[in-house]
Structure formats: structure tokens, C-alpha cells
Amino acid sequence: MLDEQAISNLLVVLIGIAFYLVFTHLGIVRQFVAMVLNVLMPFIVGFAFAYLLNGPANYFERTVFRRLRCRRGLAVLVTYIIAIALMAILVKLVLPQVADSVVSLYGIVQGFVLNLNEIIRKMSADFNIDQAVVNQILNQFMMSYTDIVSKLSDLASKAIPYVLSMGLAVGTGLVSVLISAITTVISSIYMLLEKATIATQCKKLVYAILPTGRANRMINICSRANNIFSGFINGKILDSAIIGVLCFFLTNILRIDFAVLISVIIGVTNVIPFFGPIVGAVPCVLILLIVDPWQALRFGILALALQQFDGNILGPKILGNSTGISAFWVLVSIVVGGGLFGFAGMVLGVPTFAVIYSLVGEWVHFRLEQKGIESLEHKPE
């Protein structure tokens, strides 16, 4: 019989061989992972929907229908009706206005570029600027503009085959698409209806695989991560919706063009913690600079006010201290998450780092207690 040390050494060797095989056959592994993800995608998306809708479903189950026997089924039904209604409102009211704003903006930008030549020449005549310098500036600008248009056209030409193939796939494989969509919705509904059973089964699996002490630790970590993620995500969605609606009303009051488009940009980017309104304000200010610099100035002040209001009043009221990390670590998690995983990393980096921060903090506290060190807090002189 092998002792525990021999088994551990054997596991280390096997893990090393597995890592070597993975890195030497990375293309095959990537294709296999992509195939598995493609098969499981309806369930992954269904889990994402269920996780997002779990908060409202819990609210209806515990407050509105708490005295009824079928309270969970009614809560899930009402939650999905509200979600579908909100999506219908978005598609019916918001998206057409956003599309109209984009079309109008394209016309304004095109007119601005066409009139720029005349504006610069008039300014050169008023200020006695050498015509050769003006022509050189115009040529460089027009080359840059032509390059931008060329790249956009190239991007559109590359996108058209994908759009056509997608349309062909939808036309010829409509049954497959519908089955995938129906599977996603049904799986999310079953996950919400049977979340207690699924959680119990997962706990049994953890306790069957791990020793009792480590299983308890694993369950505790998962519970803490779930509390941090659910509180943060639900809170940020509500917070971003409020900021987007508030931005829409204020931009209309201040008579700023493209109110719907700007409000959608601000609302979407606001899910980025702390810096969301500023990140969304940059493209909006650039858009408004072409239309009217005074509007850009008014909106810049408005965006700064929204960021302060969200960061100091609305955000703490809704989110509270759901992450438990300071502003510095929020900045670190946003920068690192965004650099590694883009927009999703900027959004989910904060709760992920909060979980890691909490676990590291517990380990550090445990090690300090083992060494008999009570506190290393900095004391001001």
C-alpha cells in the first residue's frame, strides 16, 4: 500500500504531466473547451439570467407571496413578466430613438467634415496664415479622415458576410436557434424554481469529495462569494438604471441633444464602479463638441455632478459596504480586471477582488494569531 506522502508525490507528478500536455497541445485544448462551452452555452446563459433575476424573485417570494403555498412559482412568474415587459419597453421605446440619434449624429459629423475646409480657409485669411501651411494641415486631416473612413468601410465589408451568414443561419437553422433560446429560458426558470434542491445537491457533492473541515470551508467561501456578487450586481443594476433615468431628465432640462443616446451610454457605463459616469462622459463630450461646445461644457459639468452624486450619495445608499474594500483597491481591481478581461473585467473585477481580499485577510489574521502578534495597525504620531 502506498502511504500519503507517496500518493502526494504521485499527484504532483501527474499534475505536472497534465500541465505539460495542455501547454504543448494548446490549440487542441482550446478547440475542446470551445466545443464544450458551445454545447453548454444555453445553460450558462440561463444561469446568468437566473442569477440576475434571483434577487427580485426572492423579494416577491418573501414579501408579496409569503403566505401562499405556491409562492416560489408565483414569484418566478411575476419576475419573468416584469423582465419581459422591461425588455419590450427597451426595444419599443429606447432602441429606435438611439438608432435615430446615431443616424442624426452621422449626418452632423459628415457635414462638419465637409465644411471644415471652408472654415479653416476663412480663419487663415482672417489671421494671415500661410496658405501652404493651411493646405498641409488640411491634407493631413483629410488623409486621417480618409483613413478612418477606409477602416470603417473595411470593417463594415468584413462584417457584412458575418451578418449575411448569420441571417442565412437564422433562416435555414431557425429551429436550432429557437431550441437554444427556449432551452436557455427553460433552464433559467428551472434553476430559479429548484435552486434549493440544486444547492443541496452541490453541497452533498462537496461533502462527498472533500473532508468535512475543508467542505465546510468551501461552503463558507461559496456563500460569502454569492453574497458579495449578488449584492453588488443587483445593486449596480439598480444604481445604473437610476443614474440613466436621472441623466435623461437632466439632459432634457439642460437642452442637450441626443438625450436618449447619452443617457443609455451613461447608464451602461455606470455599472463600472466609481468611474462609470466619467468613462461614459468622454465619448458623449466628444460627440457634443461637434454639435455645440456649450452643450459639451454643460454636459461635462452634469457628468461630474452625477459622478459625485453616485459615488457619495446614491451608490453608498444602495450598495452599502457590499464589497468591504477601500477606494484604492477598487481602483486596482478595475484597472487590472479591465486590462485582462475588458468591460466584463471592469464590472466583475471589484466583487472578485473583494472575495480574494476577504480570504487573504482571514489568512493573514490567522497567521498573525499563530505568531502571537495582536495588531500591526499604524498609530499616528
Side-chain angles (χ1 to χ4, degrees):
M1 296 291 293
L2 295 175
D3 58 2
E4 292 185 0
Q5 184 63 35
I7 294 175
S8 299
N9 294 335
L10 179 61
L11 287 176
V12 170
V13 172
L14 292 176
I15 291 173
I17 295 173
F19 271 106
Y20 172 77
L21 291 175
V22 167
F23 282 107
T24 54
H25 300 80
L26 202 56
I28 299 175
V29 173
R30 188 176 299 171
Q31 291 178 358
F32 177 75
V33 172
M35 181 187 67
V36 173
L37 289 178
N38 186 44
V39 173
L40 297 178
M41 189 56 63
F43 301 100
I44 296 174
V45 177
F47 173 78
F49 283 146
Y51 196 81
L52 290 175
L53 298 178
N54 184 52
N58 284 338
Y59 171 79
F60 286 116
E61 181 179 354
R62 295 172 182 174
T63 58
V64 180
F65 306 115
R66 66 181 184 276
R67 297 181 179 178
L68 300 178
R69 295 183 60 183
C70 55
R71 55 183 178 273
R72 177 166 297 175
L74 290 174
V76 172
L77 177 62
V78 172
T79 301
Y80 269 85
I81 290 175
I82 294 175
I84 293 172
L86 290 176
M87 291 296 296
I89 292 172
L90 179 66
V91 172
K92 182 68 176 178
L93 299 179
V94 178
L95 291 185
Q97 295 189 44
V98 171
D100 292 340
S101 299
V102 171
V103 172
S104 301
L105 178 63
Y106 175 77
I108 292 174
V109 171
Q110 192 176 29
F112 173 79
V113 172
L114 293 176
N115 294 330
L116 186 62
N117 191 343
E118 182 180 350
I119 294 173
I120 294 179
R121 293 187 185 280
K122 186 176 183 303
M123 290 178 62
S124 66
D126 293 339
F127 294 99
N128 296 321
I129 301 175
D130 188 5
Q131 191 64 34
V133 175
V134 174
N135 291 333
Q136 184 179 2
I137 295 174
L138 286 174
N139 289 334
Q140 290 180 352
F141 176 80
M142 293 307 296
M143 287 175 62
S144 301
Y145 173 72
T146 305
D147 185 51
I148 294 172
V149 173
S150 176
K151 289 182 178 179
L152 291 175
S153 300
D154 184 52
L155 181 63
S157 63
K158 290 181 179 179
I160 287 174
Y162 289 101
V163 174
L164 293 177
S165 63
M166 186 181 297
L168 183 61
V170 171
T172 58
L174 185 59
V175 175
S176 176
V177 174
L178 288 176
I179 290 176
S180 179
I182 292 172
T183 303
T184 300
V185 175
I186 292 178
S187 64
S188 65
I189 293 175
Y190 273 114
M191 289 177 189
L192 283 176
L193 290 174
E194 301 183 5
K195 56 187 176 183
T197 304
I198 296 174
T200 302
Q201 292 172 345
C202 292
K203 288 181 180 179
K204 289 181 179 179
L205 183 62
V206 171
Y207 280 106
I209 295 174
L210 300 176
T212 304
R214 293 185 179 180
N216 290 332
R217 178 65 174 160
M218 178 64 70
I219 297 298
N220 184 27
I221 292 173
C222 292
S223 176
R224 184 184 309 173
N226 176 61
N227 291 333
I228 292 175
F229 270 84
S230 61
F232 179 82
I233 293 174
N234 292 329
K236 283 305 295 181
I237 290 176
L238 178 60
D239 176 63
S240 300
I242 294 174
I243 290 296
V245 173
L246 184 61
C247 179
F248 173 74
F249 284 111
L250 292 177
T251 48
N252 277 288
I253 291 173
L254 296 175
R255 296 181 179 180
I256 296 175
D257 293 337
F258 309 115
V260 176
L261 176 62
I262 289 174
S263 301
V264 170
I265 294 175
I266 294 296
V268 171
T269 56
N270 191 69
V271 298
I272 302 173
F274 193 73
F275 299 104
I278 301 300
V279 172
V282 173
C284 296
V285 168
L286 294 177
I287 290 172
L288 292 174
L289 278 173
I290 299 175
V291 179
D292 184 359
W294 289 111
Q295 289 190 30
L297 178 62
R298 293 200 300 271
F299 177 74
I301 297 173
L302 172 61
L304 183 61
L306 284 174
Q307 191 271 338
Q308 293 296 315
F309 170 72
D310 182 45
N312 298 310
I313 299 176
L314 182 62
K317 288 289 184 182
I318 295 177
L319 295 173
N321 194 25
S322 60
T323 58
I325 57 177
S326 63
F328 171 75
W329 292 117
V330 169
L331 174 62
V332 171
S333 60
I334 292 173
V335 173
V336 174
L340 293 176
F341 303 104
F343 182 79
M346 297 178 74
V347 176
L348 299 179
V350 173
T352 302
F353 186 85
V355 175
I356 298 173
Y357 183 89
S358 175
L359 296 176
V360 172
E362 282 189 0
W363 178 81
V364 170
H365 182 71
F366 172 73
R367 292 292 294 168
L368 290 178
E369 281 188 345
Q370 281 187 328
K371 295 183 177 183
I373 302 175
E374 296 183 356
S375 176
L376 292 175
E377 296 291 337
H378 175 72
K379 297 180 180 180
E381 298 179 357

